[in-house]
Amino acid sequence: MENQFNNITNNSSSSIEASNQFSNKKTNRLDSFVSISELQEEAKKLLPKMAYDYYASGSNDQITLAENENAFNRIKLVPRSLVDVSKVNTRTKLFGRDISTPILIAPWAMQKMASQRGEIDTVEASKEFNTIMTLSSLSTTSVEDLSNASNGNPGWFQLYVFKDRKISEELVKRAESIGFTALVLTVDTPFLGKRTADFKNSFKLPNGLSLKIFERLMLSNLDGGLNQYFATMIDPSLTWNDLKWLKSITKLPILVKGIMCPKDAELALQYGADGIIVSNHGGRQLDTCPSTIEVLPYISKVVQGKVPLILDGGIRRGTDVLKALAYGANAVCIGRPIIWGLSSGGKDGVLKVLSLLNSELQLAMALTGINKVSDVNNSIIWDQNKYIKL
Ligand SMILES: Cc1cc2nc3c(=O)[nH]c(=O)nc-3n(C[C@H](O)[C@H](O)[C@H](O)COP(=O)(O)O)c2cc1C
Ligand SMILES: CCCCC(=O)C(=O)O
């Protein structure tokens, strides 16, 4: 039993084993953390306040930020008995690629505030765990350096579209030519949400760091504050027609990230999206919008398996991953859990987070009588109406 849930279904490596919470073979500092919330506490101790606040914050009153997690906790799973679960397996396939887990790494900006090697640590961990990382447009590592660090297999690239389309076009072509295998077009951010702590802290990148991808644009120092930077550079006039433009300049599959409305899911399909990411940007954009898990079943009904469907927002436990799969997602992305892992222990910290959440997922699958990801469906969600006549 212990072995089964220690050795995750990937090419198990020493650092994964060392970071596993139940392993008694080796111990290191990361072994003592048994949950994402403990890693968050550790990150809070280690990070400068300005960086921690930027990473942790939601917008306005942070209602949606809290709701993303709370909504998962309100959903109840159904335990099942006497099913042979001796070979539970979290492997799955996405865009033809075999991955060891349905847990992917969301794009998040400025990772070198969390560890010295930033995005390089994250991509190395994602490769070792055999999952997919999406690099943020606002990365502190260049696309070329990330590609080199991953032997030409850096994962997916997240795109914020610039007012100057030529810059975006050049960026897309660069990313495509050096091995990125999909584009993630973020559509929930015509303007950056109002994150109070960043205003109070007068957030700016620490000296010595810059937004590598845009270094040439001379705006990398962010002196005017995040929102001003964003408003200066990013195009708020983007519409569905621009998805056609993007498709015309790349052969890569395009996932649309930030879909929260079933009507928008319909439009995304109509305009040719190759994948949909249900996301409210981790509660950082429109405050008081619903949690992502709440809207997922409605979007799943529109998508009907035509393209891969991914959810992010509020995932802090393996049971949350299982609930998202049960509501129709093919995979999930995690943002802040990776941030806390990277801040607490660099690459090993990211591996720790992936290992911890995937072990929890594997255990939750066993306890609900599920052996493989493709067998998950909504019968594992408790619905008293189904049993009311019994
Ligand atoms: C600090 C931080 C930076 C982020 N930067 C980006 C970004 O550059 N591009 C983007 O599309 N989403 C960005 N996101 C949103 C994440 O991709 C993802 O939607 C969100 O973190 C998921 O919620 P979770 O943190 O609860 O897992 C960022 C999120 C955080 C917390
Ligand atoms: C100017 C930084 C924007 C990155 C981002 O998307 C976020 O912080 O949520």
Side-chain angles (χ1 to χ4, degrees):
M1 180 81 175
E2 185 187 283
N3 264 350
Q4 181 192 345
F5 295 107
N6 272 344
N7 276 330
I8 321 304
T9 51
N10 68 349
N11 307 328
S12 179
S13 70
S14 56
S15 51
I16 291 174
E17 278 180 20
S19 69
N20 191 289
Q21 57 186 310
F22 299 117
S23 167
N24 52 13
K25 286 181 201 148
K26 276 199 237 168
T27 49
N28 72 19
R29 193 179 64 81
L30 290 168
D31 287 346
S32 61
F33 301 107
V34 296
S35 65
I36 300 301
S37 66
E38 287 188 5
L39 282 157
Q40 176 168 0
E41 280 169 35
E42 178 71 358
K44 190 171 184 179
K45 280 185 214 148
L46 296 172
L47 288 170
K49 179 175 162 46
M50 189 177 68
Y52 177 81
D53 284 354
Y54 166 69
Y55 288 152
S57 290
S59 54
N60 294 15
D61 298 310
Q62 310 192 110
I63 308 282
T64 299
L65 175 72
E67 189 58 11
N68 273 351
E69 291 184 36
N70 292 337
F72 275 116
N73 295 333
R74 290 195 295 268
I75 297 166
K76 309 292 180 239
L77 289 166
V78 183
R80 293 303 304 272
S81 308
L82 296 180
V83 179
D84 176 357
V85 285
S86 55
K87 293 193 183 74
V88 177
N89 190 323
T90 62
R91 260 180 235 130
T92 190
K93 222 178 186 145
L94 215 48
F95 293 104
R97 176 173 163 191
D98 288 310
I99 44 180
S100 66
T101 174
I103 304 170
L104 319 180
I105 300 179
W108 56 282
M110 307 180 222
Q111 301 194 6
K112 283 191 180 164
M113 293 195 305
S115 83
Q116 210 169 27
R117 297 167 79 238
E119 291 85 1
I120 302 274
D121 278 334
T122 310
V123 85
E124 284 180 359
S126 76
K127 272 206 90 172
E128 200 160 314
F129 207 80
N130 191 18
T131 185
I132 300 167
M133 160 181 168
T134 299
L135 181 73
S136 164
S137 271
L138 302 180
S139 152
T140 39
T141 302
S142 70
V143 283
E144 285 78 11
D145 286 349
L146 198 84
S147 178
N148 289 338
S150 61
N151 296 323
N153 191 7
W156 299 349
F157 181 70
Q158 178 264 326
L159 190 68
Y160 280 130
V161 175
F162 279 77
K163 286 181 179 164
D164 183 343
R165 289 297 159 86
K166 286 231 163 62
I167 297 171
S168 297
E169 197 168 328
E170 189 219 352
L171 186 57
V172 166
K173 295 206 157 127
R174 257 165 80 199
E176 185 167 353
S177 71
I178 57 178
F180 286 87
T181 55
L183 292 179
V184 173
L185 176 69
T186 300
V187 295
D188 58 11
T189 318
F191 298 98
L192 215 57
K194 179 175 172 180
R195 296 122 191 214
T196 314
D198 294 341
F199 287 100
K200 290 206 166 142
N201 296 333
S202 304
F203 177 89
K204 67 193 282 262
L205 262 176
N207 287 340
L209 297 186
S210 64
L211 299 179
K212 283 291 171 199
I213 291 167
F214 309 133
E215 231 165 22
R216 284 173 288 175
L217 304 177
M218 310 295 291
L219 262 164
S220 53
N221 63 9
L222 295 175
D223 275 346
L226 274 187
N227 290 59
Q228 190 194 323
Y229 174 83
F230 207 85
T232 313
M233 302 301 294
I234 307 301
D235 189 352
S237 74
L238 208 70
T239 68
W240 288 107
N241 276 325
D242 295 305
L243 185 52
K244 284 192 184 158
W245 159 76
L246 192 56
K247 284 175 77 75
S248 75
I249 62 165
T250 181
K251 291 196 186 65
L252 296 178
I254 299 168
L255 294 100
V256 175
K257 172 175 183 276
I259 298 296
M260 287 292 288
C261 173
K263 183 72 199 165
D264 281 343
E266 227 174 275
L267 287 164
L269 291 178
Q270 191 184 317
Y271 281 84
D274 301 291
I276 289 182
I277 306 182
V278 174
S279 172
N280 54 32
H281 214 105
R284 293 160 77 80
Q285 288 300 111
L286 181 63
D287 197 24
T288 70
C289 79
S291 67
T292 49
I293 191 66
E294 217 172 325
V295 303
L296 178 63
Y298 300 94
I299 305 237
S300 173
K301 214 169 155 184
V302 171
V303 173
Q304 288 188 337
K306 286 177 192 148
V307 297
L309 180 59
I310 298 174
L311 169 136
D312 76 26
I315 288 182
R316 303 293 180 264
R317 288 282 184 192
T319 44
D320 299 337
V321 181
L322 187 60
K323 288 169 187 177
L325 299 178
Y327 274 23
N330 301 103
V332 301
C333 289
I334 52 172
R336 292 188 187 80
I338 296 292
I339 304 183
W340 311 141
L342 187 67
S343 309
S344 301
K347 173 185 167 186
D348 283 347
V350 175
L351 281 167
K352 166 84 189 182
V353 165
L354 291 168
S355 162
L356 192 154
L357 281 178
N358 203 54
S359 309
E360 286 185 359
L361 168 63
Q362 202 171 15
L363 183 54
M365 285 169 72
L367 299 182
T368 50
I370 302 279
N371 276 296
K372 52 184 200 292
V373 168
S374 56
D375 285 347
V376 181
N377 62 47
N378 67 5
S379 68
I380 61 168
I381 304 288
W382 174 254
D383 174 0
Q384 66 183 22
N385 295 324
K386 269 194 205 157
Y387 298 102
I388 218 141
K389 292 195 203 98
L390 293 183

